[in-house]
PDB file of all heavy atoms in Angstrom:
ATOM      1  N   VAL A 104      94.256 -79.308 -88.317  1.00 94.00           N
ATOM      2  CA  VAL A 104      94.528 -80.079 -89.541  1.00 94.00           C
ATOM      3  C   VAL A 104      93.253 -80.170 -90.381  1.00 94.00           C
ATOM      4  O   VAL A 104      93.280 -79.976 -91.604  1.00 94.00           O
ATOM      5  CB  VAL A 104      95.072 -81.480 -89.204  1.00 94.00           C
ATOM      6  CG1 VAL A 104      95.223 -82.319 -90.466  1.00 94.00           C
ATOM      7  CG2 VAL A 104      96.407 -81.369 -88.477  1.00 94.00           C
ATOM      8  N   ALA A 105      92.129 -80.435 -89.720  1.00 93.00           N
ATOM      9  CA  ALA A 105      90.848 -80.512 -90.441  1.00 93.00           C
ATOM     10  C   ALA A 105      90.512 -79.177 -91.086  1.00 93.00           C
ATOM     11  O   ALA A 105      90.039 -79.128 -92.233  1.00 93.00           O
ATOM     12  CB  ALA A 105      89.736 -80.942 -89.486  1.00 93.00           C
ATOM     13  N   ALA A 106      90.764 -78.073 -90.374  1.00 94.00           N
ATOM     14  CA  ALA A 106      90.507 -76.748 -90.943  1.00 94.00           C
ATOM     15  C   ALA A 106      91.419 -76.494 -92.146  1.00 94.00           C
ATOM     16  O   ALA A 106      90.998 -75.913 -93.145  1.00 94.00           O
ATOM     17  CB  ALA A 106      90.696 -75.672 -89.885  1.00 94.00           C
ATOM     18  N   GLY A 107      92.657 -76.967 -92.056  1.00 94.00           N
ATOM     19  CA  GLY A 107      93.573 -76.819 -93.191  1.00 94.00           C
ATOM     20  C   GLY A 107      93.101 -77.603 -94.398  1.00 94.00           C
ATOM     21  O   GLY A 107      93.119 -77.104 -95.523  1.00 94.00           O
ATOM     22  N   ASP A 108      92.659 -78.835 -94.166  1.00 93.00           N
ATOM     23  CA  ASP A 108      92.161 -79.658 -95.274  1.00 93.00           C
ATOM     24  C   ASP A 108      90.928 -79.027 -95.920  1.00 93.00           C
ATOM     25  O   ASP A 108      90.805 -78.995 -97.152  1.00 93.00           O
ATOM     26  CB  ASP A 108      91.839 -81.069 -94.781  1.00 93.00           C
ATOM     27  CG  ASP A 108      93.082 -81.843 -94.341  1.00 93.00           C
ATOM     28  OD1 ASP A 108      94.215 -81.430 -94.680  1.00 93.00           O
ATOM     29  OD2 ASP A 108      92.913 -82.863 -93.644  1.00 93.00           O
ATOM     30  N   LEU A 109      90.017 -78.514 -95.098  1.00 93.00           N
ATOM     31  CA  LEU A 109      88.832 -77.848 -95.649  1.00 93.00           C
ATOM     32  C   LEU A 109      89.201 -76.561 -96.378  1.00 93.00           C
ATOM     33  O   LEU A 109      88.577 -76.220 -97.382  1.00 93.00           O
ATOM     34  CB  LEU A 109      87.817 -77.546 -94.544  1.00 93.00           C
ATOM     35  CG  LEU A 109      86.847 -78.654 -94.230  1.00 93.00           C
ATOM     36  CD1 LEU A 109      86.018 -78.325 -92.999  1.00 93.00           C
ATOM     37  CD2 LEU A 109      85.929 -78.929 -95.398  1.00 93.00           C
ATOM     38  N   SER A 110      90.214 -75.861 -95.878  1.00 93.00           N
ATOM     39  CA  SER A 110      90.666 -74.640 -96.555  1.00 93.00           C
ATOM     40  C   SER A 110      91.166 -74.958 -97.958  1.00 93.00           C
ATOM     41  O   SER A 110      90.910 -74.204 -98.907  1.00 93.00           O
ATOM     42  CB  SER A 110      91.762 -73.944 -95.743  1.00 93.00           C
ATOM     43  OG  SER A 110      91.246 -73.470 -94.530  1.00 93.00           O
ATOM     44  N   ILE A 111      91.861 -76.072 -98.090  1.00 91.00           N
ATOM     45  CA  ILE A 111      92.317 -76.478 -99.426  1.00 91.00           C
ATOM     46  C   ILE A 111      91.118 -76.744-100.328  1.00 91.00           C
ATOM     47  O   ILE A 111      91.094 -76.319-101.476  1.00 91.00           O
ATOM     48  CB  ILE A 111      93.240 -77.711 -99.328  1.00 91.00           C
ATOM     49  CG1 ILE A 111      94.545 -77.265 -98.729  1.00 91.00           C
ATOM     50  CG2 ILE A 111      93.421 -78.375-100.685  1.00 91.00           C
ATOM     51  CD1 ILE A 111      95.698 -78.181 -98.874  1.00 91.00           C
ATOM     52  N   ASN A 112      90.106 -77.436 -99.796  1.00 89.00           N
ATOM     53  CA  ASN A 112      88.893 -77.694-100.587  1.00 89.00           C
ATOM     54  C   ASN A 112      88.212 -76.395-101.004  1.00 89.00           C
ATOM     55  O   ASN A 112      87.563 -76.341-102.040  1.00 89.00           O
ATOM     56  CB  ASN A 112      87.906 -78.558 -99.803  1.00 89.00           C
ATOM     57  CG  ASN A 112      88.394 -79.970 -99.623  1.00 89.00           C
ATOM     58  OD1 ASN A 112      89.322 -80.422-100.301  1.00 89.00           O
ATOM     59  ND2 ASN A 112      87.794 -80.686 -98.694  1.00 89.00           N
ATOM     60  N   GLU A 113      88.350 -75.358-100.187  1.00 90.00           N
ATOM     61  CA  GLU A 113      87.749 -74.057-100.481  1.00 90.00           C
ATOM     62  C   GLU A 113      88.634 -73.214-101.405  1.00 90.00           C
ATOM     63  O   GLU A 113      88.259 -72.121-101.783  1.00 90.00           O
ATOM     64  CB  GLU A 113      87.500 -73.282 -99.182  1.00 90.00           C
ATOM     65  CG  GLU A 113      86.371 -73.817 -98.360  1.00 90.00           C
ATOM     66  CD  GLU A 113      85.028 -73.627 -99.028  1.00 90.00           C
ATOM     67  OE1 GLU A 113      84.660 -72.483 -99.359  1.00 90.00           O
ATOM     68  OE2 GLU A 113      84.350 -74.641 -99.258  1.00 90.00           O
ATOM     69  N   GLY A 114      89.820 -73.721-101.721  1.00 89.00           N
ATOM     70  CA  GLY A 114      90.723 -72.977-102.591  1.00 89.00           C
ATOM     71  C   GLY A 114      91.533 -71.926-101.848  1.00 89.00           C
ATOM     72  O   GLY A 114      92.106 -71.029-102.455  1.00 89.00           O
ATOM     73  N   ASP A 115      91.602 -72.015-100.535  1.00 91.00           N
ATOM     74  CA  ASP A 115      92.313 -71.045 -99.716  1.00 91.00           C
ATOM     75  C   ASP A 115      93.622 -71.651 -99.233  1.00 91.00           C
ATOM     76  O   ASP A 115      93.726 -72.147 -98.108  1.00 91.00           O
ATOM     77  CB  ASP A 115      91.422 -70.633 -98.539  1.00 91.00           C
ATOM     78  CG  ASP A 115      92.070 -69.586 -97.644  1.00 91.00           C
ATOM     79  OD1 ASP A 115      93.159 -69.079 -97.986  1.00 91.00           O
ATOM     80  OD2 ASP A 115      91.485 -69.278 -96.586  1.00 91.00           O
ATOM     81  N   ALA A 116      94.638 -71.603-100.084  1.00 91.00           N
ATOM     82  CA  ALA A 116      95.923 -72.204 -99.751  1.00 91.00           C
ATOM     83  C   ALA A 116      96.615 -71.476 -98.602  1.00 91.00           C
ATOM     84  O   ALA A 116      97.255 -72.104 -97.764  1.00 91.00           O
ATOM     85  CB  ALA A 116      96.824 -72.228-100.981  1.00 91.00           C
ATOM     86  N   LEU A 117      96.479 -70.159 -98.538  1.00 92.00           N
ATOM     87  CA  LEU A 117      97.103 -69.407 -97.451  1.00 92.00           C
ATOM     88  C   LEU A 117      96.472 -69.787 -96.110  1.00 92.00           C
ATOM     89  O   LEU A 117      97.166 -69.978 -95.116  1.00 92.00           O
ATOM     90  CB  LEU A 117      96.985 -67.903 -97.691  1.00 92.00           C
ATOM     91  CG  LEU A 117      97.637 -67.010 -96.638  1.00 92.00           C
ATOM     92  CD1 LEU A 117      99.114 -67.327 -96.492  1.00 92.00           C
ATOM     93  CD2 LEU A 117      97.431 -65.544 -96.994  1.00 92.00           C
ATOM     94  N   GLY A 118      95.155 -69.930 -96.090  1.00 93.00           N
ATOM     95  CA  GLY A 118      94.473 -70.376 -94.871  1.00 93.00           C
ATOM     96  C   GLY A 118      94.939 -71.760 -94.467  1.00 93.00           C
ATOM     97  O   GLY A 118      95.207 -72.021 -93.294  1.00 93.00           O
ATOM     98  N   ALA A 119      95.046 -72.671 -95.435  1.00 93.00           N
ATOM     99  CA  ALA A 119      95.500 -74.033 -95.152  1.00 93.00           C
ATOM    100  C   ALA A 119      96.912 -74.009 -94.578  1.00 93.00           C
ATOM    101  O   ALA A 119      97.198 -74.685 -93.582  1.00 93.00           O
ATOM    102  CB  ALA A 119      95.460 -74.873 -96.427  1.00 93.00           C
ATOM    103  N   LEU A 120      97.773 -73.226 -95.187  1.00 94.00           N
ATOM    104  CA  LEU A 120      99.147 -73.110 -94.718  1.00 94.00           C
ATOM    105  C   LEU A 120      99.180 -72.624 -93.268  1.00 94.00           C
ATOM    106  O   LEU A 120      99.909 -73.157 -92.432  1.00 94.00           O
ATOM    107  CB  LEU A 120      99.916 -72.151 -95.630  1.00 94.00           C
ATOM    108  CG  LEU A 120     101.397 -72.007 -95.417  1.00 94.00           C
ATOM    109  CD1 LEU A 120     102.101 -73.325 -95.646  1.00 94.00           C
ATOM    110  CD2 LEU A 120     101.955 -70.938 -96.344  1.00 94.00           C
ATOM    111  N   THR A 121      98.358 -71.646 -92.957  1.00 94.00           N
ATOM    112  CA  THR A 121      98.297 -71.109 -91.599  1.00 94.00           C
ATOM    113  C   THR A 121      97.838 -72.168 -90.601  1.00 94.00           C
ATOM    114  O   THR A 121      98.434 -72.335 -89.532  1.00 94.00           O
ATOM    115  CB  THR A 121      97.358 -69.891 -91.554  1.00 94.00           C
ATOM    116  OG1 THR A 121      97.822 -68.913 -92.491  1.00 94.00           O
ATOM    117  CG2 THR A 121      97.300 -69.279 -90.173  1.00 94.00           C
ATOM    118  N   TYR A 122      96.780 -72.897 -90.949  1.00 95.00           N
ATOM    119  CA  TYR A 122      96.282 -73.939 -90.044  1.00 95.00           C
ATOM    120  C   TYR A 122      97.323 -75.050 -89.843  1.00 95.00           C
ATOM    121  O   TYR A 122      97.525 -75.514 -88.724  1.00 95.00           O
ATOM    122  CB  TYR A 122      94.973 -74.543 -90.555  1.00 95.00           C
ATOM    123  CG  TYR A 122      93.793 -73.629 -90.371  1.00 95.00           C
ATOM    124  CD1 TYR A 122      93.081 -73.162 -91.461  1.00 95.00           C
ATOM    125  CD2 TYR A 122      93.383 -73.227 -89.101  1.00 95.00           C
ATOM    126  CE1 TYR A 122      91.988 -72.320 -91.297  1.00 95.00           C
ATOM    127  CE2 TYR A 122      92.299 -72.395 -88.924  1.00 95.00           C
ATOM    128  CZ  TYR A 122      91.602 -71.935 -90.022  1.00 95.00           C
ATOM    129  OH  TYR A 122      90.532 -71.104 -89.852  1.00 95.00           O
ATOM    130  N   TYR A 123      97.971 -75.468 -90.929  1.00 95.00           N
ATOM    131  CA  TYR A 123      98.973 -76.526 -90.808  1.00 95.00           C
ATOM    132  C   TYR A 123     100.150 -76.070 -89.935  1.00 95.00           C
ATOM    133  O   TYR A 123     100.668 -76.833 -89.129  1.00 95.00           O
ATOM    134  CB  TYR A 123      99.470 -76.971 -92.174  1.00 95.00           C
ATOM    135  CG  TYR A 123      98.448 -77.677 -93.028  1.00 95.00           C
ATOM    136  CD1 TYR A 123      98.472 -77.576 -94.407  1.00 95.00           C
ATOM    137  CD2 TYR A 123      97.433 -78.455 -92.458  1.00 95.00           C
ATOM    138  CE1 TYR A 123      97.537 -78.231 -95.193  1.00 95.00           C
ATOM    139  CE2 TYR A 123      96.497 -79.105 -93.237  1.00 95.00           C
ATOM    140  CZ  TYR A 123      96.556 -78.991 -94.612  1.00 95.00           C
ATOM    141  OH  TYR A 123      95.626 -79.632 -95.393  1.00 95.00           O
ATOM    142  N   GLN A 124     100.555 -74.817 -90.110  1.00 94.00           N
ATOM    143  CA  GLN A 124     101.667 -74.321 -89.306  1.00 94.00           C
ATOM    144  C   GLN A 124     101.279 -74.231 -87.829  1.00 94.00           C
ATOM    145  O   GLN A 124     102.087 -74.545 -86.952  1.00 94.00           O
ATOM    146  CB  GLN A 124     102.139 -72.969 -89.837  1.00 94.00           C
ATOM    147  CG  GLN A 124     102.885 -73.101 -91.147  1.00 94.00           C
ATOM    148  CD  GLN A 124     103.260 -71.772 -91.759  1.00 94.00           C
ATOM    149  OE1 GLN A 124     102.555 -70.779 -91.614  1.00 94.00           O
ATOM    150  NE2 GLN A 124     104.375 -71.758 -92.476  1.00 94.00           N
ATOM    151  N   ARG A 125     100.045 -73.828 -87.552  1.00 95.00           N
ATOM    152  CA  ARG A 125      99.582 -73.804 -86.164  1.00 95.00           C
ATOM    153  C   ARG A 125      99.560 -75.210 -85.584  1.00 95.00           C
ATOM    154  O   ARG A 125      99.938 -75.424 -84.429  1.00 95.00           O
ATOM    155  CB  ARG A 125      98.192 -73.172 -86.089  1.00 95.00           C
ATOM    156  CG  ARG A 125      98.206 -71.654 -86.234  1.00 95.00           C
ATOM    157  CD  ARG A 125      96.820 -71.051 -86.273  1.00 95.00           C
ATOM    158  NE  ARG A 125      95.993 -71.406 -85.131  1.00 95.00           N
ATOM    159  CZ  ARG A 125      94.671 -71.253 -85.115  1.00 95.00           C
ATOM    160  NH1 ARG A 125      94.032 -70.757 -86.168  1.00 95.00           N
ATOM    161  NH2 ARG A 125      93.976 -71.590 -84.054  1.00 95.00           N
ATOM    162  N   ALA A 126      99.132 -76.191 -86.380  1.00 95.00           N
ATOM    163  CA  ALA A 126      99.115 -77.584 -85.908  1.00 95.00           C
ATOM    164  C   ALA A 126     100.537 -78.075 -85.661  1.00 95.00           C
ATOM    165  O   ALA A 126     100.784 -78.810 -84.691  1.00 95.00           O
ATOM    166  CB  ALA A 126      98.405 -78.473 -86.929  1.00 95.00           C
ATOM    167  N   LEU A 127     101.475 -77.663 -86.501  1.00 94.00           N
ATOM    168  CA  LEU A 127     102.868 -78.072 -86.316  1.00 94.00           C
ATOM    169  C   LEU A 127     103.481 -77.494 -85.042  1.00 94.00           C
ATOM    170  O   LEU A 127     104.357 -78.123 -84.447  1.00 94.00           O
ATOM    171  CB  LEU A 127     103.714 -77.662 -87.525  1.00 94.00           C
ATOM    172  CG  LEU A 127     103.637 -78.609 -88.717  1.00 94.00           C
ATOM    173  CD1 LEU A 127     104.249 -77.977 -89.949  1.00 94.00           C
ATOM    174  CD2 LEU A 127     104.309 -79.928 -88.381  1.00 94.00           C
ATOM    175  N   THR A 128     103.020 -76.331 -84.614  1.00 95.00           N
ATOM    176  CA  THR A 128     103.543 -75.795 -83.351  1.00 95.00           C
ATOM    177  C   THR A 128     103.097 -76.663 -82.180  1.00 95.00           C
ATOM    178  O   THR A 128     103.788 -76.736 -81.174  1.00 95.00           O
ATOM    179  CB  THR A 128     103.097 -74.337 -83.101  1.00 95.00           C
ATOM    180  OG1 THR A 128     101.683 -74.279 -83.012  1.00 95.00           O
ATOM    181  CG2 THR A 128     103.605 -73.419 -84.194  1.00 95.00           C
ATOM    182  N   LEU A 129     101.935 -77.331 -82.318  1.00 95.00           N
ATOM    183  CA  LEU A 129     101.445 -78.215 -81.259  1.00 95.00           C
ATOM    184  C   LEU A 129     102.063 -79.609 -81.347  1.00 95.00           C
ATOM    185  O   LEU A 129     102.219 -80.288 -80.340  1.00 95.00           O
ATOM    186  CB  LEU A 129      99.918 -78.330 -81.339  1.00 95.00           C
ATOM    187  CG  LEU A 129      99.139 -77.038 -81.119  1.00 95.00           C
ATOM    188  CD1 LEU A 129      97.658 -77.264 -81.383  1.00 95.00           C
ATOM    189  CD2 LEU A 129      99.369 -76.507 -79.712  1.00 95.00           C
ATOM    190  N   ASP A 130     102.375 -80.049 -82.558  1.00 93.00           N
ATOM    191  CA  ASP A 130     102.919 -81.390 -82.770  1.00 93.00           C
ATOM    192  C   ASP A 130     103.986 -81.324 -83.863  1.00 93.00           C
ATOM    193  O   ASP A 130     103.731 -81.663 -85.022  1.00 93.00           O
ATOM    194  CB  ASP A 130     101.790 -82.346 -83.160  1.00 93.00           C
ATOM    195  CG  ASP A 130     102.224 -83.799 -83.143  1.00 93.00           C
ATOM    196  OD1 ASP A 130     103.397 -84.087 -82.841  1.00 93.00           O
ATOM    197  OD2 ASP A 130     101.358 -84.655 -83.430  1.00 93.00           O
ATOM    198  N   PRO A 131     105.191 -80.843 -83.500  1.00 92.00           N
ATOM    199  CA  PRO A 131     106.230 -80.615 -84.513  1.00 92.00           C
ATOM    200  C   PRO A 131     106.729 -81.874 -85.215  1.00 92.00           C
ATOM    201  O   PRO A 131     107.351 -81.784 -86.268  1.00 92.00           O
ATOM    202  CB  PRO A 131     107.369 -79.966 -83.734  1.00 92.00           C
ATOM    203  CG  PRO A 131     106.976 -79.913 -82.323  1.00 92.00           C
ATOM    204  CD  PRO A 131     105.610 -80.462 -82.176  1.00 92.00           C
ATOM    205  N   GLY A 132     106.448 -83.047 -84.697  1.00 91.00           N
ATOM    206  CA  GLY A 132     106.936 -84.271 -85.301  1.00 91.00           C
ATOM    207  C   GLY A 132     106.045 -84.829 -86.401  1.00 91.00           C
ATOM    208  O   GLY A 132     106.327 -85.901 -86.934  1.00 91.00           O
TER     209      GLY A 132
END
Side-chain angles (χ1 to χ4, degrees):
V104 174
D108 293 344
L109 273 172
S110 294
I111 288 196
N112 291 344
E113 288 292 303
D115 182 6
L117 182 57
L120 187 62
T121 303
Y122 286 118
Y123 293 149
Q124 287 175 328
R125 284 175 55 196
L127 278 168
T128 62
L129 297 174
D130 191 0

